[in-house]
Each structure stands twice: as structure tokens, then as C-alpha cells.
Amino acid sequence: MSIWVRISDFVSGTAGQALGALVEQVRTVFEGDPETRARVAFSVAMIALSAKMAKADGVVTTSEVDAFREIFEIPDEEAKRVASLYNLAKQDVAGYQSYAAQLAGLCGSGQPDCPMLRDILDGLFHIAKADGVIHQKELEFLADVAAIFAISDAEFDRIRARHVDAGDADPWRVLGIAPGTPFDEARQRYRELVRDNHPDTMAARGVPAEFHAIAHERVAAINAAWDVVEPELKRA
């Protein structure tokens, strides 16, 4: 069953509640089905935080909404109900920090640099840059969310390098290795990054198949960075 059907049924069954209450409902409604709970939690996290972030620079642009739809492969018949959750998040007066904390507890492993929370942050960066630039307010938002998610400074810098610097990104930062790293160690790091973004690996940590598009750009950036550093490492 599509994750959007599950989310649509969930939203319909909890209509009229504030977003914060909906987040807590995910924990209990799907308690007996941890796999579905992980998929719905991830989806709600992305919807809620992307809606909040879209207002961070004071305006919700068409390009940001389009980027949201790029990440979320939403069937036309489910778009209206998903949009209602997105709009609920935009209109809710509660601060994004409270949602980020709730969602960190719902989606996270309790350990720093939790893979699913990194996936959420990566998706938020994708949306933030949709209008061609990540505004300072958006960057502050992302840094705040990363701190709440217990994303390390090094990991945040690596994610930021892929998105903010775009084609000019430092390949060493993208891969999270330093110049002069032994070739075998660097290659192992590269292979780990590619493996972590394989659809099977993402599915195992609760990322719905409908969202695997967020990894395409990430893997392309990782491969491009390796293409640059590999010859230099071999020469060294």
C-alpha cells in the first residue's frame, strides 16, 4: 500500500487536530506496526518541517512548492489530503523547534548523526535551494534543526557543501575526508556513502520508496566528488 494512502487515512482520522497532536498520534496509531510507523513518521517530518522552512525567509515561493513535489512523489488523487497537512503546518503558530524535537524523538535512533534524521535534513536543503539561493534565515533554520537532531557539525558541513556550493563544492568536504587520506581508507569511505544511499538501505531505515528521489542528487554529488579526488589520491 502506498505511504500516501496510509497518510491520507491517518489525516482523515485525526482531522481538526493541531500538528503537534498529529505527530504524537503517529507514535500510538502505528504502535503495532513499527515499519509503517517509521515510514509515516519520516513523511510527516518532511511535510511539517518543509512547510515551516518554506516560511523561514518570509515567503513561500512556487519553486519551493515544486521542489516539495519533486521529493514527494504524490499521486494526484492523494495530493489534496497531503496538501491539507502541509497547510496545517504552515498555519500553525507553534515554533518549528518544538516540532523538530518531537520528530527527532519519533524518527531518530537516539544517537548522533542518525541516518533517518540526516535524510530529513538533506531533503530540507533540497527544498531550501529551490529558488536558486539558500537565504540566511533558511540556513539558520537548517542549522537549528540539525542541532535539535544531534547532527554533528562535520556532518552538517558535508550536507551543506553538496547543496550550498553546488557545482563548486569542495569534493573533500562532500566525502567527509581530508586531503592526504590514505587511498584505501578514502575508497572505503566513498563505498560506505554509496551503500548508505542504496534504496534497500534507505528502505531498511524507514525511508518510504516514494522518497528515494532525495538520494539521486546526493549520490550524484558523491560520485562526482570521488571522480575528482580519486586520481589525486592515486598519485599520492
Side-chain angles (χ1 to χ4, degrees), residues 128-141:
K129 71 179 183 184
D131 57 357
V133 60
I134 297 183
H135 301 277
Q136 183 60 34
K137 291 290 186 182
E138 291 172 322
L139 195 56
E140 291 171 2
F141 175 100

Side-chain angles (χ1 to χ4, degrees), residues 4 7 10-11 17-24 26 39-56 60 68 71-72 74 81-104 106-107 120-121 123-124 127 141-142 145 149 211:
W4 294 118
I7 290 176
F10 171 67
V11 172
Q17 295 192 34
L19 183 61
L22 289 180
V23 172
E24 287 306 310
V26 174
R39 295 167 66 216
V40 172
F42 178 91
S43 308
V44 170
M46 284 300 310
I47 293 169
L49 290 176
S50 62
K52 287 290 187 180
M53 187 188 63
K55 296 182 65 178
V60 180
F68 179 85
I71 294 177
F72 302 98
I74 307 171
R81 287 183 178 177
V82 174
S84 68
L85 185 55
Y86 189 78
N87 289 330
L88 177 63
K90 285 195 299 182
Q91 296 163 9
D92 200 316
V93 296
Y96 67 85
Q97 293 93 339
S98 62
Y99 294 128
Q102 280 183 292
L103 293 163
L106 190 60
C107 302
I120 294 170
L121 187 65
L124 292 174
I127 293 170
F141 175 100
L142 292 163
V145 169
F149 282 0
F211 300 94

Side-chain angles (χ1 to χ4, degrees), residues 61-81:
T61 67
T62 302
S63 56
E64 286 169 333
V65 176
D66 288 344
F68 179 85
R69 293 296 298 270
E70 285 176 13
I71 294 177
F72 302 98
E73 299 172 6
I74 307 171
D76 292 340
E77 63 270 20
E78 303 297 336
K80 186 175 181 180
R81 287 183 178 177

Side-chain angles (χ1 to χ4, degrees), residues 1 20-21 29 36 47 58 68 77 105 114 136 139 150 164 168 171-172 178 224:
M1 180 183 293
V29 169
T36 299
I47 293 169
F68 179 85
E77 63 270 20
C114 170
Q136 183 60 34
L139 195 56
V164 176
D168 297 325
W172 302 99

